[in-house]
Every structure is written in C-alpha cells, then in structure tokens.
Amino acid sequence: MLTLLVLTTLASLAVTSPVLPSQTWPPAFCNKLECPKYTMVKSTKDYEERIYDAAKWTSTVVSGMEYNTAVSEGFMKLFSYIEGNNKKKVTIPMTAPVATKVEHGQGPYCKTNFTVSFFVPFADQASPPEPSTSDVFTNPLPQMTAFVKSFGGFASETDWTDTAKALAKSLDNATVSYHKDFYYTAGYNSPFQLFDRHNEVWFIKKD
Ligand SMILES: *[C@@H]1O[C@H](CO)[C@@H](O)[C@H](O)[C@H]1NC(C)=O
Ligand SMILES: *[C@@H]1O[C@H](CO)[C@@H](O)[C@H](O)[C@H]1NC(C)=O
C-alpha cells in the first residue's frame, strides 16, 4: 500500500514538469502567445537542453529547394486553417512558434521536405478542429528532448543553416546522440515585429 502510494506520488511528480526556479512561464520569447511546455534540463553557453511535453501540432508538408518560399507556402495554408478553413469553421488563436522540420534530400538536386507546424492551443489539444483540406493534418508529437540554439534578428536561410551547423558541432563535441537527418527551425515573431526577435534551431535527442 505504501509502495503504491510512493509510486503514485512519484508518477504524479514526473508528469507535472518541474520548472527550474529561475524559469518563468511562459518564456518572454513566446510573446504572450501559447507555446509548447518544456522542462529545462540544462543550459550551456552553446545550447539548451529541453524536454518538451507530448503535444499536438497542425502541420503541412511542402517539398522544395528554398527554405523561405516553402515555409511561406506552408504558413499560408496553416494560417487559412486557423482563420476558419476547417470542418467546424472556427477561428483558432495564433500560437508560437512556427516550427519547421527540415529534412534534406540526399543528393545536391534533391528536394527538401519542410513540415511546417503551428502548435495547437491548450484548449484544443484534446480534439483539434479537423482540417478541411487533406494537405493540412493534425500531427501528434511525442515527448522529446530538444537541443536548442537561439539567435536574434530576421533569420535568413543562411542564418538557419549556419546555426544548425554550429549546434551540430557543439553536440558532436559533447558526444550526445541526436537525429542527424533532420532538424527543426522555430520562429517566434511575425514579420512585422522589428526588435527582440527570437529564432531557434532544434536537434532531437536519440532515445
Ligand atoms: C519527402 O517526402 C516524400 C513523400 O512522403 C518522401 O517520399 C521522400 O522520401 C521525402 N524526402 C526526404 C528527404 O525526407
Ligand atoms: C568541447 O568539449 C569540451 C569538454 O567537453 C569543452 O571544454 C570545449 O569547450 C568544447 N569545445 C567546443 C568547440 O565546443
């Protein structure tokens, strides 16, 4: 009985995502928008290690050569979905970040798959409004550990790839095991925000 109690207590502690004392929620870079919950595992001068809770995202895949073109196309589809182009015809609040999974093709002329995603607001996590077009879909992501490198300003395609390379170098030096065949870019600001812009690249830890 006591064992059961202890186990139950431990289990409930484990799921409540302890937040480090210095960490306030939501982080300032979420700009008062809802954003996915994470627990900070550690912070080094080169990157942060965060455990993201399992959560649903709304996604669309754009295959192409150029990051900005592909992400704009994906963004417009998802924006249309939250503006009411869904089966319930409801408006869904904007969240942060716009996360894009980047999977490069193997050869020099191979297309890259860009999976552009909006985080589903907490109120809709249990049952996200169903998209009304087949190229937009609800995308449940499992709990995952992300290695995160942040930078400011308006991110160019080179900024994203340079940051991904620098992060990979730090992770290789730290001999951590992570998925090398894809990474995420996360943008937190609208194009109209000129200052205090926040961008992140995520590599995902291999379990
Ligand atoms: C991109 O997606 C297509 C369709 O799902 C798949 O056949 C292809 O292998 C993917 N390419 C990469 C580089 O992941
Ligand atoms: C590589 O890792 C070592 C210790 O693990 C650290 O002292 C050093 O600063 C790292 N070098 C780079 C370039 O990150």
Side-chain angles (χ1 to χ4, degrees), residues 75-192:
F75 181 93
M76 290 319 293
K77 283 182 187 169
L78 297 174
F79 193 70
S80 164
Y81 163 80
I82 68 168
E83 286 290 285
N85 186 16
N86 51 66
K87 285 194 178 159
K88 281 192 194 157
K89 306 227 176 300
V90 289
T91 307
I92 301 159
M94 188 63 197
T95 56
V98 177
T100 303
K101 186 180 186 182
V102 180
E103 293 170 279
H104 288 298
Q106 289 310 302
Y109 302 108
C110 286
K111 286 189 172 174
T112 297
N113 287 346
F114 300 94
T115 306
V116 187
S117 302
F118 285 4
F119 179 67
V120 173
F122 292 108
D124 291 330
Q125 278 282 329
S127 61
E130 227 181 297
S132 47
T133 53
S134 61
D135 53 353
V136 174
F137 58 96
T138 294
N139 187 9
L141 293 184
Q143 184 193 72
M144 60 187 186
T145 300
F147 300 105
V148 180
K149 190 172 181 69
S150 305
F151 61 101
F154 282 91
S156 69
E157 177 145 19
T158 316
D159 292 329
W160 291 119
T161 51
D162 286 353
T163 304
K165 277 181 204 156
L167 178 54
K169 207 169 167 186
S170 306
L171 297 177
D172 289 340
N173 182 50
T175 64
V176 299
S177 184
Y178 63 98
H179 291 277
K180 299 191 177 189
D181 47 346
F182 67 88
Y183 57 85
Y184 285 89
T185 63
Y188 288 80
N189 312 99
S190 90
F192 308 111

Side-chain angles (χ1 to χ4, degrees), residues 36-72:
K37 280 267 164 81
Y38 67 83
T39 309
M40 177 104 87
V41 179
K42 76 172 183 187
S43 178
T44 76
K45 68 178 180 16
D46 298 315
Y47 61 88
E48 277 179 22
E49 182 174 344
R50 303 174 181 166
I51 301 177
Y52 277 94
D53 289 357
K56 292 182 185 124
W57 296 68
T58 307
S59 303
T60 188
V61 182
V62 182
S63 191
M65 303 294 282
E66 215 241 330
Y67 178 88
N68 285 318
T69 315
V71 172
S72 302

Side-chain angles (χ1 to χ4, degrees), residues 29 31 152-154 188-198:
F29 57 71
N31 287 314
F154 282 91
Y188 288 80
N189 312 99
S190 90
F192 308 111
Q193 185 177 333
L194 300 184
F195 303 109
D196 294 327
R197 299 181 62 83
H198 183 83

